[in-house]
Amino acid sequence: MIKITNDEIILDDYLNLKINPNSGSLLYFLGTTRNNNLGKKVKYLEYETFKEMAIAKLDEISKYAVSKWKLNQLDIIHRIGRVNIAETSLLIIVSSPHRKESFLAIEYIVDELKKIVPIWKKEFYTDGSAWIGTSDNPN
Amino acid sequence: MNVIVKFFGQHKEELNKSEIEIELKDSVTLDNLIQILKNKEPKFAKFDSYAIAVNLNYENLNYTIEDGDEIAIIPPVSGG
């Protein structure tokens, strides 16, 4: 499942998964919002997306990962809109016959997401704000 | 032909618009389009880093624009 949502990502909603009997590994990755970046105190973040393209790119990444690491399950959920500190902005769920493939797949998916998926975050500080990914504010 | 160019993130904010319609002659490349955008939107000339997507796929500057193409200027992404 691939989803981009304005709703809060609640981990509990995804914990009661039916485990694939062919899987020996089920891994959850949560990207969470940090209260500081580059020495600045972050109050909250806002994410924006070009949704149609982001879904298409996540689908490409997902198909590649499922095929390369023979995954039994892959879900990618990204939140957009305002996200407060210590909330989940990204949830990835991967299961595979052996753990190594799950770990490799998650690292690949997060790296690719940060390279090619059109989602942008803006950090809000006590004294202003900045788009991340610019030369002044690297991702 | 007319094409719509979409803007996002910092570009949308600085240009204060999410898209612009541009009239093009036939056989115009993305490189040509960028020059037109720089003339039409002086603030755009200041943007130093972006990719260009056509119909949801990244394309090079030598891509020749076709009627009906949906063009998006993609600032450096920062999801996750």
Side-chain angles (χ1 to χ4, degrees), chain A residues 29-44:
Chain A
F29 171 85
L30 276 75
T32 59
T33 42
R34 199 171 51 230
N35 67 2
N36 67 90
N37 193 25
L38 303 169
K40 284 194 165 183
K41 191 170 185 296
V42 181
K43 280 166 56 190
Y44 64 94

Side-chain angles (χ1 to χ4, degrees), chain A residues 47-48 50 52-53 57 60 78 89-90 113-122 131-134 139, chain B residues 6-14 48-49 53 56-58 70 72-80:
Chain A
Y47 287 80
E48 183 186 321
F50 178 13
E52 253 183 301
M53 184 172 167
K57 290 290 147 198
E60 266 176 43
H78 203 301
S89 52
L90 172 65
L113 187 151
K114 286 174 175 286
K115 270 188 239 162
I116 66 164
V117 177
I119 296 175
W120 302 274
K121 70 175 149 236
K122 189 177 186 184
W131 287 97
I132 304 304
T134 60
N139 193 15
Chain B
K6 295 184 169 195
F7 302 110
F8 297 93
Q10 53 176 319
H11 295 171
K12 185 170 86 177
E13 198 172 272
E14 284 178 40
D48 58 352
S49 180
L56 313 183
N57 284 307
Y58 291 109
E70 181 194 61
I73 306 295
I74 309 289
V77 303
S78 53

